[in-house]
Amino acid sequence: MTSSNILLVDNCSSDVENVKNAFSEIGIKSTLHLAQNDAEAWLMLQGENKISPIPKIILIDINEESVNGIKLLSKIRIHPALKSILVFVITRTDNEVNKAAALNLNIAGYMHKPFESTNTTDFFSILNDYWNIIEFSSEKK
C-alpha cells in the first residue's frame, strides 16, 4: 500500500504511542490519524474537517471506555463512501457480544493487542505486509 491514510480509534495513550512507534520503526509510509472515541472518528470521516483522502484502513478498539465501536462500525457500513474501508478491531479485552457484532459488520479482522511494545512492532509488521499485498480501489474520494 502506497502512502495513504489510516485512522486509529483508541483512547489508551500507551497503546497509541506503541502503534506510533511501531509505524515509525517499520517505516510505514501511511499517515496515522488519531481519534479518541467514535464521535471524534466520525467527524474525521464525515465532519467539516474530514480526512482527505478517506482512510483505506481503520484500526479500532471497540471495547475501550467511551468508544462505541459497534455504533461507529454500523455507520461506516451503511455510508456509501465509507463502507469499503478495511476495519480491523484490535482489542485487549474479550467481549463475545462485541466480537460477534463486529464480525457481522464485515470487519477485516478481530485481533488481540500485543501487550509489549516489542510485540507491537512484530504485530504491525505482519499487518503491513498484508496491507501491501492486497488491492485497494484507485478511486479518489
Side-chain angles (χ1 to χ4, degrees):
M1 174 175 71
T2 58
S3 182
S4 62
N5 290 318
I6 295 176
L7 176 59
L8 172 63
V9 185
D10 196 328
N11 63 6
C12 178
S13 59
S14 62
D15 288 342
V16 169
E17 282 305 310
N18 284 342
V19 172
K20 287 167 46 176
N21 290 337
F23 271 50
S24 175
E25 198 171 313
I26 297 164
I28 296 175
K29 303 283 187 248
S30 298
T31 302
L32 184 64
H33 297 270
L34 307 170
Q36 291 192 11
N37 57 51
D38 54 296
E40 189 176 320
W42 187 251
L43 287 174
M44 295 174 86
L45 294 170
Q46 284 302 293
E48 192 173 296
N49 297 316
K50 71 180 179 180
I51 300 168
S52 181
I54 293 170
K56 293 184 183 295
I57 296 169
I58 296 176
L59 309 169
I60 182 171
D61 187 340
I62 62 173
N63 296 321
E64 285 284 342
E65 279 187 46
S66 81
V67 177
N68 189 336
I70 299 302
K71 178 181 173 184
L72 177 61
L73 281 168
S74 296
K75 289 167 70 172
I76 289 168
R77 290 302 179 231
I78 62 172
H79 193 286
L82 304 176
K83 65 183 177 182
S84 65
I85 295 173
L86 285 181
V87 178
F88 293 87
V89 173
I90 303 172
T91 186
R92 191 175 308 283
T93 60
D94 289 319
N95 182 319
E96 287 300 319
V97 172
N98 280 350
K99 182 179 183 178
L103 290 168
N104 285 330
L105 288 166
N106 298 317
I107 60 169
Y110 191 99
M111 300 163 274
H112 288 275
K113 287 181 182 177
F115 286 100
E116 297 177 21
S117 60
T118 55
N119 295 341
T120 302
T121 301
D122 293 340
F123 179 84
F124 280 103
S125 180
I126 292 167
L127 272 179
N128 186 52
D129 289 344
Y130 172 69
W131 297 336
N132 283 308
I133 61 170
I134 61 174
E135 303 246 347
F136 290 93
S137 169
S138 60
E139 184 178 331
K140 304 258 187 222
K141 301 225 180 198

